[in-house]
Amino acid sequence: MYSHAVKYRVCYADTDQMGYVYYGNYARLYEIARVETLRSLGVSYKSLEDNGIGLPVFEHYTKFHAPGLYDDELTIICQVDMLPSAKIVFSYRIKNEAGELINEGKTTLVFMNLANKLTISRIVLAGFFILFLFIKGPGAKFMAMAIFLAACVT
């Protein structure tokens, strides 16, 4: 559907004693790519939070193919797999400098009302994202329309 690539240089703090990216750091790499993917669409986590919407992780999956190494420049490709509804699913492919797939994964996040910590229904979510139609930038309009359509048909 929509994908965005982010570059990341592995620093010493990312690695274990063998010089491999520590397995727990892949979730952080996913988050970096997810935040930048949303930003490329004109939507920031900060703007969502400022408007009372959180995106907690509901599910997380990762599969390792090869280790990421100290000082490698990784390419993290983040993709929005389907039209968002009350949740949004992102998939990730991480490649090393040679272009080899070293890791892949998926996260599912739910839209949550930060005031009461309850998930947000599709109808309320659709109304909120209509507001994004008035924010400048084609990315925001794309995201707003996609979420509005998903709320109407799912």
Side-chain angles (χ1 to χ4, degrees):
M1 171 166 280
Y2 177 80
S3 65
H4 180 73
V6 175
K7 299 282 188 180
Y8 182 83
R9 175 80 56 188
V10 177
C11 66
Y12 187 73
D14 294 326
T15 63
D16 60 19
Q17 189 176 18
M18 298 176 290
Y20 294 176
V21 173
Y22 177 68
Y23 79 94
N25 285 330
Y26 285 91
R28 188 172 58 83
L29 296 176
Y30 292 175
E31 181 177 8
I32 290 167
R34 185 171 62 244
V35 167
E36 294 307 317
T37 298
L38 287 175
R39 189 180 309 280
S40 76
L41 289 167
V43 179
S44 73
Y45 264 77
K46 181 157 178 31
S47 68
L48 290 172
E49 291 171 351
D50 288 347
N51 285 285
I53 293 180
L55 279 172
V57 174
F58 178 70
E59 294 177 323
H60 171 91
Y61 164 82
T62 191
K63 182 175 182 177
F64 302 95
H65 297 282
L69 303 173
Y70 171 67
D71 203 41
D72 270 355
E73 183 179 60
L74 304 178
T75 302
I76 311 158
I77 301 126
C78 178
Q79 181 171 318
V80 180
D81 290 327
M82 63 180 77
L83 292 174
S85 58
K87 63 183 178 181
I88 185 167
V89 179
F90 296 91
S91 63
Y92 313 90
R93 293 184 319 277
I94 302 178
K95 296 183 178 185
N96 62 17
E97 289 181 62
E100 301 163 330
L101 180 67
I102 65 167
N103 180 279
E104 60 186 323
K106 186 176 283 196
T107 55
T108 302
L109 290 81
V110 295
F111 292 91
M112 181 180 75
N113 181 325
L114 292 174
N116 62 18
K117 306 297 189 238
L118 297 174
T119 57
I120 299 172
S121 74
R122 293 187 304 246
I123 301 304
V124 172
L125 187 61
F128 174 81
F129 277 96
I130 288 173
L131 297 176
F132 277 105
L133 291 174
F134 299 104
I135 297 174
K136 66 179 183 176
K141 289 184 179 181
F142 167 81
M143 191 67 147
M145 288 306 297
I147 291 171
F148 177 75
L149 291 172
C152 292
V153 298
T154 58

